[in-house]
Amino acid sequence: MNMQGAAGRADEILDSVLTEIQPEVQWAHGPTTAGSCDVTRRRTVMTVVSAERRGNFLGLVDRFWRKSDYRMKAINNDADFPAIYAQTKDGFGVSLRFGGKGQAFLQVDSPCVKKSDVADSTTSPNGPSYEGVYPLPRPNIRSPFWSAGAP
């Protein structure tokens, strides 16, 4: 597999977990980075996930990854910045972590693969794309479910 193939596989992993999250959340692409032999794809959740709903969100993703036979590597139960980390059977590292203001970040890191050019993801975000905007804004889309209890 080359880096472009790994980026495509990372997109599949991200697409599958985002499809699993119900009610759906809006997300935007984070930066893609390529190392000497690996690729990282990122997606940033733009829906506000209230502190009261973060456990639900993490649990939903955790159950999906376990059902998908991912090996759970670490769980961070920090009250402000919780995160979960896992690995697919084909060696891709996956993570969901919460950052400042409760913004959720999904990331997939490929194993070492053959060097190649990497194109942008062909998956369209399900909300504003924020193309050319860096850093992305804080979560700014409200959901009756995910944002419940948020100020």
Side-chain angles (χ1 to χ4, degrees):
M1 179 181 294
N2 65 16
M3 291 172 121
Q4 180 59 52
R9 172 72 176 119
D11 284 335
E12 290 171 3
I13 293 167
L14 290 164
D15 291 345
S16 68
V17 72
L18 284 162
T19 299
E20 190 71 17
I21 297 169
Q22 293 299 322
E24 83 173 354
V25 292
Q26 287 195 14
W27 59 270
H29 287 286
T32 294
T33 53
S36 59
C37 73
D38 62 327
V39 177
T40 299
R41 289 273 211 221
R42 297 171 180 87
R43 305 242 175 115
T44 302
V45 175
M46 301 310 296
T47 300
V48 174
V49 180
S50 69
E52 295 83 3
R53 296 288 190 198
R54 287 180 203 145
N56 296 76
F57 196 91
L58 287 156
L60 188 87
V61 172
D62 180 282
R63 285 186 299 279
F64 175 69
W65 286 350
R66 289 175 193 270
K67 183 178 79 176
S68 301
D69 287 329
Y70 293 6
R71 186 168 58 106
M72 300 311 289
K73 308 261 304 181
I75 296 172
N76 178 348
N77 289 321
D78 185 270
D80 296 320
F81 304 109
I84 54 175
Y85 303 87
Q87 186 172 27
T88 66
K89 286 189 178 270
D90 53 352
F92 285 74
V94 295
S95 65
L96 165 62
R97 58 187 179 76
F98 279 88
K101 305 281 187 199
Q103 190 153 36
F105 299 92
L106 289 156
Q107 179 172 312
V108 176
D109 302 305
S110 79
C112 191
V113 293
K114 186 177 166 192
K115 190 150 185 78
S116 72
D117 289 336
V118 177
D120 290 339
S121 176
T122 57
T123 303
S124 296
N126 67 346
S129 71
Y130 299 101
E131 236 176 279
V133 176
Y134 186 81
L136 289 174
R138 296 288 189 190
N140 56 22
I141 297 160
R142 297 270 174 188
S143 155
F145 180 79
W146 292 115
S147 306

